[in-house]
Amino acid sequence: MSNPLAKVFKNEFPSIYELVIDAKHKDKSRLAGWMQQVESNFVIDRVVKRFIVERPTAFILTIHDSVLTKKRDAKFVRKLFMQEFGRFRVNPKLN
């Protein structure tokens, strides 16, 4: 592996790295679309859906890979993201 970023990624996220490598070997052209679909499903079907159920009168909007809400609901949205990531044993750093 000659790409230094790939080495760092493999060290930090070995299971995801293997998944990406396997997917690229099968059909390189579908990987990006599949990853976008996974991200979209995660945000919309999990985080936003819970937000709407738990705070039905609050404002939320998705923009690509971001979620827009009012300042008073920002901590709650962050909490939902962390809980949903936690279901997959992922602990990201969110801004």
Side-chain angles (χ1 to χ4, degrees):
M1 171 184 339
S2 61
N3 184 330
L5 291 176
K7 289 179 185 178
V8 170
F9 189 87
K10 183 178 182 180
N11 287 338
E12 292 293 319
F13 310 103
S15 59
I16 296 172
Y17 176 84
E18 293 302 325
L19 180 76
V20 169
I21 294 301
D22 185 52
K24 285 175 79 173
H25 283 296
K26 289 179 181 172
D27 187 351
K28 190 182 287 190
S29 67
R30 293 185 180 202
L31 179 61
W34 176 75
M35 291 174 76
Q36 288 171 345
Q37 187 66 48
V38 168
E39 176 188 19
S40 173
N41 289 344
F42 178 82
V43 173
I44 294 169
D45 295 341
R46 290 181 174 273
V47 177
V48 173
K49 188 181 244 181
R50 277 190 60 194
F51 182 89
I52 291 168
V53 167
E54 295 180 34
R55 297 210 175 160
T57 61
F59 172 81
I60 192 162
L61 175 71
T62 60
I63 304 171
H64 300 291
D65 62 350
S66 301
V67 173
L68 180 67
T69 192
K70 294 189 176 184
K71 190 173 185 176
R72 67 176 177 248
D73 295 312
K75 286 183 181 179
F76 181 67
V77 170
R78 186 182 191 289
K79 176 183 156 189
L80 293 178
F81 266 98
M82 295 304 290
Q83 288 175 346
E84 291 301 324
F85 275 121
R87 291 177 186 229
F88 299 98
R89 297 186 184 135
V90 174
N91 187 24
K93 295 178 183 172
L94 301 178
N95 294 326

